[in-house]
């Protein structure tokens, strides 16, 4: 008996914008249904419609039955008995999902008291129990804390506690881990599994992350442009996708266990719900498109084995056993000439030597006084050779961005040395600094915020050229637009006329305008959808090879790093934990933090996900204002826990420095007891099994 | 937190002293109390004028700093000096202060409460008729100066009363001296109606616009949705979660609004013939009454800074994020 039965659900916003165009699914008790799709595919709107939480001007039709009771069009008096009781929801951003002015405990207790006759004290006690259940340390103290006093991961745990307060039959999780770091994501997913065990609820898991779904879901629904395009058991979807969109999506994600080389991009952009193409909405981007695709939108039809596919060529795909890699053209990226020269003989583009950046921690409104120091970056060293990509990875708060800012400022650091293209930033005069800015350029994370919305794209790209007195501006702009895969006539348009991926290309064009030698990439693809991301990664790879660029690449997504980087430095609390070539670090991580980080990343491979052993880290990142003595990672280190008392002393007293590991040329770890282990099972076939 | 508030209090005391001193200097250097004695029929001898002015600490022949010293030493022990004709400023202030406070306090609270409520309603019904109505009326009211508004209100009331044949709403004065006991109290309340309306309308309009914007910001946020997802009614979610959070920025405007409120009170008191501090300020300026002007300014400074202090307290009470640091 299914708990929730959704049939032909549609949502129309004012102006005739159809956000959801007929979604049907069922969820059974104890089952996890994953809904995947890119932004704007209607996946969140569907669940909000079921909960009756959409704005009043949205028109919802179709049916959503909970235990046979119709939810669509239900009166508020009835609906409030369902919400939070039979169906609970977990939202994406746990900071904004809690009312900032009430304590966490009060908000959970409120959820309890809405549905259960209970006095205040009892409800408060129940809130503490729930917080304990989701693994919040000292729950009775923490219940009195306000949302801003919780870390992101803790807030999401509290959110789960609130959602399961009334033993719901169905949990809807809307991107529950998207805002979290990977190690915290792994913790929260564990808590979700616990919550499901405790309540036996069905779960609808909405996410864009195919890795998360692979490990959690029993069945998967793939959405595109407001409609489901494929639905089936998780293994079928991942190993035998029969709709080109699903195939492309699976092929386009960079994999942490994958090989290097070009990714498979899906050309074009998802259609806007206001102007859908005739026929199949995916047709304009589909490499398998035939004329018939434009005539009529294919319905989602049963395909055998409980699967549903909306593609007229599904039988053919099945028959020929096609995969994404077969169907989607893989771009050929010309190899780099520079890399033929051994690394030791190449010029060094950037060198950091024991660089330090501390911030004073101030207190007081009128008479400020220093109460402490934030050790944002506490002595890091690395270098980048010509034509090389070094990735700086780590969780939020580890000092990646500070490092990057320090480099870009070209000013003397508080401690240590920063040498850019052979020039020490401490010995630069302003003319040298200005000249050097040509050679060091940056691409920002958020392509929406990085471009002035009131400037035509041509002017945006021309700005650095004019600033450095170049004459042939127009021709150069056209050349740059062409270089990043846009048309020269796009120069007249404004940023809002471009999609996220195109805007990021504009940002890249601007960075390349002055023919820099070193480009700093600050999370360049993290704000983009998966299908778009692959194209931008390929572009970056191609530009590096053809223009002989060097990249300093800051990212938190280790899978993207694996594809783009040659070397990788893992940061933890302002220190480098491990550094080396991508192959060494990913295949034989030696630092316990790197191992945990790698093992926390969900793989878009259900079987591997099920069989994988995760190294779960305890707790949150310690405050950089008060880092632990000795090894900074020891408070969360799984290895530290296994050491003997005598061995531990060394971790507490002595801070490890990055030491080259035996038998390797380019691999070092900052751990007293470094030991290489394999965390990711190498899988070279993403194809059918 | 207590330490922080104490420090704010200390700063406010310094600011009051500064504001009052500056106001005294301005009044003492620009006003000419001598003029009110000169040119009288029969003429008063210069020596007598000097003597009188000396006695009231108003003589422009004494250096201004010396006069200031005399005035300030008086103020410290709570003596605000003499009016231009020898009356006690303290006594005058004692008579008037509660007249004004009554008007200002009720006006402020009413303005804040009604304004916030209207703003919240306006936001919840964005682009509906009620929202448009509230919006247009707010802008119309904000565009009309208080003295025009007050006069219009008085005229309208006068016509209503005439049409009804009896005095439904009083439109002039503060009370009827012929009444006593409970009737007197009711009569005072009746006299309060018009001035309070004319005074608070401006701040109602002001707060309703601010609150509407704040509320709209909050309405789109996830926590309101979370509150409803928990099973709260829309109405409960809106008041308990949305409005409660959206109140915080409005509270910071409290101090600013109080300043404009006092300006309004000056006109309102004058038009409705209330003998409060605002009316006194105008009379004192006309009479070249330096000490009275300084006293009124002192009172205003205290009111404004008290409002600022109160909005600090309010924000701290409403927002846990401020309380911590």
């Amino acid at each position: 008996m299914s708990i929730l039965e959704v049939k032909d659900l549609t949502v129309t916003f004012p102006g005739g914008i159809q956000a959801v165009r007929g979604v049907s699914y069922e969820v059974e008790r104890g089952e996890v249904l994953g809904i995947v799709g890119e932004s704007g595919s209607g996946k969140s709107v569907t669940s909000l419609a079921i909960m009756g939480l959409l704005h009043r001007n949205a028109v919802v039709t179709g049916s959503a039955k909970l235990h046979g009771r119709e939810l669509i069009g239900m009166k508020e008096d009835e609906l409030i008995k369902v919400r939070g009781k039979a169906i609970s929801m977990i939202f994406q951003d746990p900071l904004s999902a809690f009312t900032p002015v009430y304590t966490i405990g009060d908000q959970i207790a409120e959820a309890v008291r809405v549905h259960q006759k209970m006095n205040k004290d009892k409800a408060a006690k129940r809130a503490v129990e729930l917080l304990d259940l989701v693994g919040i340390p000292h729950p009775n103290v923490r219940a009195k804390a306000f949302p801003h006093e919780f870390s992101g991961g803790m807030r999401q745990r509290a959110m789960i506690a609130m959602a399961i307060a009334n033993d719901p039959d169905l949990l809807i999780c809307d991107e529950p881990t998207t805002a979290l770091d990977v190690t915290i994501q792994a913790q929260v997913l564990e808590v979700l599994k616990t919550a499901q065990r405790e309540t036996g609820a069905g779960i609808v898991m909405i996410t864009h992350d195919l890795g998360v779904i692979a490990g959690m879901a029993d069945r998967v629904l793939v959405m595109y442009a407001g409609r489901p395009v494929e639905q089936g058991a998780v293994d079928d979807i991942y190993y035998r996708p029969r709709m080109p969109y699903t195939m492309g999506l699976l092929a386009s994600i960079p994999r942490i266990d994958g090989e290097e080389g070009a990714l498979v991009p899906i050309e074009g952009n998802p259609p806007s719900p206001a102007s859908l193409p005739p026929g199949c909405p995916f047709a304009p981007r589909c490499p398998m498109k035939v004329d018939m695709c434009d005539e009529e939108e294919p319905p989602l039809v049963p395909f055998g084995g409980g699967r549903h596919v909306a593609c007229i060529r599904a039988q053919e795909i099945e028959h020929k056993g096609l995969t994404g890699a077969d169907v989607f053209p893989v771009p050929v990226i010309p190899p780099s000439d520079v890399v033929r020269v051994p690394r030791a003989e190449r010029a060094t583009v950037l060198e950091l030597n024991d660089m330090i950046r501390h911030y004073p921690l101030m207190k007081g409104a009128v008479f400020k006084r220093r109460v402490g120091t934030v050790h944002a970056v506490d002595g890091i060293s690395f270098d980048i050779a010509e034509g090389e990509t070094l990735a700086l990875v780590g969780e939020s708060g580890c000092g990646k961005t500070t490092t990057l800012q320090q480099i870009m400022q070209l000013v003397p650091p508080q401690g240590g040395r920063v040498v850019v293209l052979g020039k020490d930033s401490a010995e630069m005069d302003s003319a040298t600094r200005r000249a050097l800015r040509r050679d060091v350029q940056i691409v920002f994370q958020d392509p929406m915020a990085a471009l002035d919305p009131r400037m035509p794209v041509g002017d945006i790209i021309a700005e650095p050229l004019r600033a450095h007195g170049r004459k042939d501006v127009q021709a150069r702009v056209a050349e740059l637009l062409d270089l990043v895969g846009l048309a020269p006539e796009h120069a007249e348009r404004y940023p809002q006329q471009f999609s996220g991926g195109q805007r990021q290309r504009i940002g890249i064009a601007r960075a390349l305008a002055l023919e820099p030698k070193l480009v700093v990439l600050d999370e360049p693809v993290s704000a983009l959808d998966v299908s778009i991301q692959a194209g931008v990664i390929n572009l970056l790879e191609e530009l590096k090879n053809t223009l002989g660029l060097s990249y300093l690449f800051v990212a938190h997504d280790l899978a993207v790093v694996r594809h783009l980087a040659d070397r990788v430095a893992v940061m933890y609390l302002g220190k480098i934990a491990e550094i080396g070539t991508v192959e060494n670090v990913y295949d034989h991580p030696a630092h316990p933090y790197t191992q945990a980080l790698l093992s926390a990343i969900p793989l878009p491979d259900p079987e591997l996900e099920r069989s994988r052993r995760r190294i779960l880290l305890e707790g949150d990142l310690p405050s950089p204002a008060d880092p632990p003595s000795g090894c900074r990672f020891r408070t969360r280190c799984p290895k530290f826990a296994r050491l003997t008392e005598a061995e531990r002393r060394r971790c507490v007293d002595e801070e490890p420095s990055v030491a080259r590991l035996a038998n390797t040329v380019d691999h070092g770890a900052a751990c007293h007891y470094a030991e290489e282990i394999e965390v990711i099972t190498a899988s070279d076939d993403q194809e059918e099994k | 937190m207590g330490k922080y508030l104490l420090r704010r209090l200390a700063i406010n005391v310094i600011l009051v002293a500064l504001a009052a001193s500056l106001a005294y200097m301005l009044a003492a250097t620009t006003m000419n109390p001598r003029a009110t004695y000169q040119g009288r029929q029969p003429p008063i001898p210069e020596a007598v004028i000097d003597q009188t002015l000396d006695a009231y600490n108003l003589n422009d022949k004494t250096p201004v700093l010396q006069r200031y010293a005399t005035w300030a030493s008086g103020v410290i022990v709570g003596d605000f000096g003499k009016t231009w004709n020898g009356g006690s400023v303290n006594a005058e202030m004692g008579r008037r202060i509660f007249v004004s406070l009554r008007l200002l306090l009720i006006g402020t609270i009413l303005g804040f409460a009604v304004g916030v409520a209207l703003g919240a309603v306006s936001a919840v019904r964005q682009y509906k008729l009620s929202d448009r109505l509230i919006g247009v009326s707010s802008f119309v009211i904000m565009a009309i100066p208080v003295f025009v508004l007050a006069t219009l209100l008085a005229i309208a009331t006068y016509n209503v009363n005439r049409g009804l044949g009896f005095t439904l709403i009083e439109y002039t004065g503060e009370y009827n001296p012929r009444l006593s006991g409970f009737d007197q109290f009711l009569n005072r309340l009746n006299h309060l109606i018009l001035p309070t309306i004319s005074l608070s309308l401006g701040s109602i309009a002001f707060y309703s616009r601010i609150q509407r914007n704040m509320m709209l910001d909050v309405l789109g946020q996830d926590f309101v949705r979370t509150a409803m997802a928990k099973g709260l009614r829309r109405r409960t979610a809106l008041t308990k979660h949305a409005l409660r959070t959206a109140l915080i920025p409005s509270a910071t405007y409290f101090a600013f609004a109080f300043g404009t409120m006092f300006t309004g009170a000056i006109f309102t008191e004058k038009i409705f013939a209330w003998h409060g501090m605002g009316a006194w300020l105008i009379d004192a300026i006309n009479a070249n009454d330096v000490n009275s002007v300084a006293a009124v300014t002192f009172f205003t400074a205290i009111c404004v800074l008290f409002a600022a202090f109160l909005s600090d307290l309010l924000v701290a009470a409403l927002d846990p994020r401020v309380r911590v640091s």
Side-chain angles (χ1 to χ4, degrees):
Chain A
M1 162 85 190
S2 51
I3 306 169
L4 181 73
E5 206 175 326
V6 181
K7 242 197 177 88
D8 296 324
L9 192 83
T10 73
V11 180
T12 312
F13 288 115
I17 294 164
Q18 285 200 300
V20 179
R21 305 177 301 123
V23 172
S24 307
Y25 62 77
E26 285 172 22
V27 188
E28 273 163 46
R29 202 161 171 75
E31 185 191 41
V32 181
L33 173 76
I35 301 186
V36 214
E38 294 175 280
S39 45
S41 62
K43 53 192 193 309
S44 298
V45 178
T46 310
S47 52
L48 288 175
I50 293 164
M51 291 283 277
L53 290 175
L54 284 175
H55 197 269
R56 286 172 173 186
N57 59 16
V59 182
V60 183
T61 67
S63 143
K65 284 188 178 143
L66 183 81
H67 298 302
R69 280 179 73 206
E70 184 59 58
L71 292 175
I72 307 296
M74 199 186 244
K75 289 265 178 306
E76 193 188 22
D77 288 333
E78 293 295 307
L79 206 52
I80 53 168
K81 290 179 195 150
V82 176
R83 285 188 200 144
K85 175 86 185 90
I87 312 181
S88 284
M89 204 160 170
I90 294 165
F91 295 100
Q92 172 172 6
D93 183 357
L95 176 57
S96 56
F98 277 106
T99 309
V101 296
Y102 299 120
T103 63
I104 294 278
D106 281 351
Q107 296 193 47
I108 297 173
E110 187 185 26
V112 175
R113 274 164 58 88
V114 173
H115 298 286
Q116 298 173 34
K117 280 216 167 89
M118 209 184 253
N119 64 31
K120 277 198 168 156
D121 292 344
K122 254 183 127 182
K125 247 188 225 133
R126 174 88 180 117
V128 173
E129 282 169 29
L130 285 163
L131 285 174
D132 194 32
L133 182 73
V134 294
I136 302 262
H138 316 295
N140 41 354
V141 182
R142 299 300 284 166
K144 295 186 189 77
F146 288 95
H148 68 274
E149 295 166 307
F150 269 46
S151 69
M154 299 245 285
R155 277 195 288 260
Q156 199 57 289
R157 283 163 189 260
M159 191 84 203
I160 295 171
M162 193 157 87
I164 59 170
N166 296 302
D167 277 330
D169 301 328
L170 182 72
L171 267 174
I172 300 179
C173 310
D174 188 357
E175 305 263 8
T177 56
T178 305
L180 306 175
D181 280 316
V182 271
T183 59
I184 307 295
Q185 166 172 295
Q187 292 175 358
V188 169
L189 289 176
E190 274 312 302
V191 174
L192 258 180
K193 283 176 192 160
T194 315
Q196 192 197 19
R197 259 202 315 278
E198 292 286 322
T199 60
I203 293 185
V204 175
M205 182 94 169
I206 301 163
T207 178
H208 68 278
D209 190 331
L210 289 153
V212 170
I213 291 272
M216 285 286 290
D218 301 309
R219 284 190 306 123
V220 179
L221 179 81
V222 184
M223 282 190 72
Y224 188 78
R227 284 195 64 170
V229 292
E230 189 161 5
Q231 186 177 1
V234 66
D235 287 11
D236 281 339
I237 297 283
Y238 278 80
Y239 300 126
R240 291 170 291 278
R242 291 298 170 251
M243 156 79 195
Y245 175 63
T246 319
M247 293 157 72
L249 212 55
L250 284 164
S252 68
I253 23 178
R255 289 178 58 133
I256 197 160
D257 56 346
E259 295 153 47
E260 280 191 61
L263 290 166
V264 180
I266 305 179
E267 297 295 325
N269 295 300
S272 132
S275 58
L276 290 172
C280 174
F282 186 63
R285 301 173 72 189
C286 183
M288 292 186 72
K289 184 194 148 187
V290 289
D291 289 345
M292 239 173 82
C293 294
D294 282 336
E295 279 163 22
E296 184 183 26
E297 186 164 358
L300 190 69
V301 287
F303 195 72
R307 311 184 51 182
H308 292 75
V309 183
C311 179
I312 51 170
R313 297 184 70 181
Q315 293 294 349
E316 186 186 338
I317 296 169
E318 168 89 13
H319 191 68
K320 293 188 185 159
L322 297 174
T323 66
D326 303 328
V327 171
F328 286 85
V330 184
V332 180
I333 295 174
S336 168
D337 297 332
V338 195
V339 285
R340 290 202 200 112
V341 185
R343 183 169 191 270
E345 289 165 31
R346 278 183 263 160
T348 303
V349 180
L350 176 73
E351 190 185 341
L352 256 61
N353 213 326
D354 216 15
M355 192 193 84
I356 289 172
R357 176 86 208 201
H358 291 173
Y359 292 104
L361 195 63
M362 301 300 234
K363 211 178 167 182
V366 183
F367 307 103
K368 284 202 190 302
R369 61 188 192 284
R370 189 169 175 153
V371 291
T373 306
V374 178
H375 301 255
V377 177
D378 219 0
I380 62 167
S381 311
F382 60 74
D383 58 347
I384 302 177
E386 196 185 348
E388 181 180 76
T389 303
L390 176 85
L392 216 51
V393 297
E395 294 172 283
S396 39
C398 73
K400 304 185 297 262
T401 306
T402 309
T403 308
L404 205 147
Q405 281 170 353
Q406 182 68 54
I407 295 166
M408 291 302 291
Q409 278 169 354
L410 296 176
V411 293
Q414 286 166 344
R417 264 165 24 112
V418 177
V419 185
V420 183
L421 295 164
K423 296 189 181 71
D424 192 329
S425 69
E427 293 154 12
M428 254 179 243
D429 54 29
S430 56
T432 331
R433 192 165 291 137
R434 196 177 139 78
L436 203 58
R437 290 212 191 281
R438 278 167 182 269
D439 295 323
V440 187
Q441 291 288 320
I442 186 164
V443 176
F444 295 99
Q445 173 174 14
D446 184 355
M448 315 287 159
L451 305 176
D452 187 338
R454 282 171 194 82
M455 242 192 206
V457 164
D459 285 352
I460 290 175
I461 299 173
E463 214 172 20
L465 295 169
R466 294 199 176 111
H468 284 267
R470 287 270 297 247
K471 292 283 172 285
D472 52 336
V473 174
Q474 288 314 319
R476 178 75 182 138
V477 168
E479 191 185 325
L480 284 163
L481 281 170
D482 189 48
L483 192 67
V484 295
L486 295 170
E489 56 267 25
H490 285 158
E492 311 287 313
R493 298 194 197 163
Y494 287 87
Q496 65 264 33
Q497 288 165 285
F498 294 90
S499 68
Q502 288 173 318
R503 284 189 220 195
Q504 198 56 291
R505 284 168 192 263
I506 296 164
I508 294 169
R510 174 172 62 183
L512 294 178
L514 294 165
E515 295 168 43
K517 298 196 175 62
L518 173 67
V519 179
V520 175
L521 308 167
D522 187 5
E523 307 257 11
V525 293
S526 64
L528 305 177
D529 271 320
V530 199
S531 71
I532 308 292
Q533 187 176 300
V536 175
I537 294 174
N538 283 345
L539 173 72
L540 286 170
E541 182 81 37
E542 187 183 333
L543 289 171
K544 186 188 89 169
N545 289 355
T546 49
L547 302 177
L549 300 170
S550 307
Y551 289 149
L552 173 61
F553 180 41
V554 172
H556 70 273
D557 186 337
L558 280 99
V560 171
V561 167
R562 167 135 218 181
H563 268 269
L564 200 57
D566 303 309
R567 297 177 73 233
V568 58
V570 181
M571 279 186 81
Y572 185 81
L573 262 192
K575 285 268 186 194
I576 287 182
E578 186 159 358
I579 187 166
T581 61
V582 165
E583 295 78 28
N584 285 340
V585 174
Y586 278 64
D587 296 340
H588 313 283
H591 195 284
Y593 177 62
T594 319
Q595 292 160 1
L597 208 56
L598 287 170
S599 91
I601 296 164
L603 291 167
D605 193 323
E607 247 166 59
L608 273 178
E609 268 301 291
R610 280 192 286 263
S611 60
R612 251 172 109 196
R613 199 176 52 86
R614 281 235 149 81
I615 305 170
L616 277 186
L617 289 184
E618 305 259 316
D620 291 311
L621 203 70
S623 160
D626 184 24
S629 71
C631 174
R632 294 184 175 204
F633 184 57
R634 70 177 162 84
T635 50
R636 298 170 76 197
C637 184
K639 181 158 219 153
F640 183 72
R642 290 196 303 270
L643 294 177
T644 65
E645 197 58 43
E647 287 173 314
R648 281 185 190 182
R649 175 126 328 123
R650 199 167 163 215
C651 298
V652 179
D653 297 338
E654 192 188 329
E655 184 157 14
S657 54
V658 180
R660 173 121 73 86
L661 295 165
N663 313 330
T664 54
V665 185
D666 189 4
H667 189 193
C671 178
H672 295 308
Y673 304 103
E675 173 189 22
E676 290 179 16
I677 58 167
E678 200 169 285
V679 183
I680 317 161
T681 345
S683 89
D684 33 21
D685 59 332
Q686 310 172 22
E687 339 284 67
E688 290 200 26
K689 300 212 163 173
Chain B
M1 190 64 210
K3 230 167 140 188
Y4 168 75
L5 286 177
L6 268 181
R7 200 164 57 213
R8 282 307 293 255
L9 202 63
I11 292 168
N12 280 350
V13 169
I14 296 169
L15 281 176
V16 167
L18 212 67
S21 303
L22 286 174
Y24 180 85
M25 290 292 197
L26 191 69
T29 46
T30 53
M31 286 181 178
N32 183 12
R34 184 178 295 276
T36 45
Y37 288 95
Q38 278 171 341
R40 285 207 182 174
Q41 285 304 333
I44 306 166
E46 174 112 9
V48 178
I49 297 181
D50 276 341
Q51 199 186 0
T52 318
L53 289 177
D54 277 338
Y56 304 159
N57 187 32
L58 291 171
N59 195 345
D60 49 343
K61 285 177 184 161
T62 321
V64 68
L65 282 177
Q66 195 185 327
R67 272 182 283 152
Y68 170 72
T70 318
W71 175 79
S73 53
V75 169
I76 286 170
V77 295
D79 177 13
F80 286 90
K82 295 269 188 283
T83 60
W84 69 277
N85 56 4
S88 160
V89 171
N90 282 31
E92 187 73 26
M93 188 147 77
R95 259 198 304 282
R96 290 170 179 271
I97 200 161
F98 289 103
V99 175
S100 277
L101 276 181
R102 193 187 327 155
L103 201 58
L104 284 173
L105 272 179
I106 298 179
T108 310
I109 293 167
L110 203 72
F112 187 73
V114 177
V116 162
L118 281 180
V121 169
S122 203
V124 172
R125 308 187 180 225
Q126 195 188 10
Y127 301 139
K128 297 239 173 79
L129 185 69
S130 43
D131 173 36
R132 306 255 189 216
L133 219 64
I134 293 170
V136 169
S137 339
S138 305
F139 282 119
V140 169
I141 287 166
M142 278 194 267
I144 303 176
V146 184
F147 52 86
V148 178
L149 196 70
T151 316
L152 286 176
L153 276 173
I155 293 170
T157 315
Y158 172 75
N159 284 325
V160 167
N161 286 344
R162 209 175 54 171
L164 287 171
F166 64 96
T167 312
L168 179 70
I169 299 169
E170 302 281 354
Y171 53 90
T172 184
E174 189 211 334
Y175 64 101
N176 187 339
R178 279 171 306 208
L179 296 173
S180 63
F182 188 65
D183 287 339
Q184 174 68 283
F185 176 73
L186 283 183
N187 186 256
R188 273 182 194 265
L189 282 188
N190 194 338
H191 274 101
L192 250 177
I193 296 173
L194 268 198
T196 309
I197 291 177
S198 76
L199 196 59
S200 50
L201 265 181
S203 47
I204 290 176
F206 174 77
Y207 280 121
S208 77
R209 294 319 291 173
I210 289 176
Q211 189 60 43
R212 180 178 180 270
N213 284 351
M214 299 307 161
M215 190 78 178
L216 280 179
D217 280 353
V218 170
L219 280 185
Q221 292 206 9
D222 291 351
F223 62 80
V224 182
R225 207 171 53 184
T226 311
M228 289 207 280
K230 267 194 238 180
L232 292 180
R233 274 170 198 284
R234 185 173 137 89
R235 183 181 291 265
T236 322
L238 287 182
T239 46
K240 202 179 160 196
H241 289 265
L243 183 59
R244 172 69 174 67
T245 312
L247 266 181
I248 299 164
S250 294
T252 51
Y253 284 96
F254 202 72
F256 298 101
F258 199 87
T260 33
M261 177 75 85
F262 190 81
T263 329
I266 295 173
F267 295 113
T268 314
E269 287 178 3
K270 210 60 198 153
I271 287 161
F272 292 104
W274 276 52
H275 302 289
M277 302 292 273
W280 189 21
L281 180 67
I282 303 210
D283 296 341
I285 291 171
N286 283 334
N288 282 318
D289 193 345
V290 176
N291 290 336
S292 296
V293 169
V296 176
T297 323
F298 187 86
F299 167 76
T300 324
I302 286 187
C303 283
V304 169
L305 288 169
F306 182 72
F309 185 65
L310 208 63
S311 60
D312 276 356
L313 276 181
L314 254 164
V315 170
L318 288 173
D319 193 348
R321 288 166 293 187
V322 176
R323 248 176 277 159
V324 186
S325 52

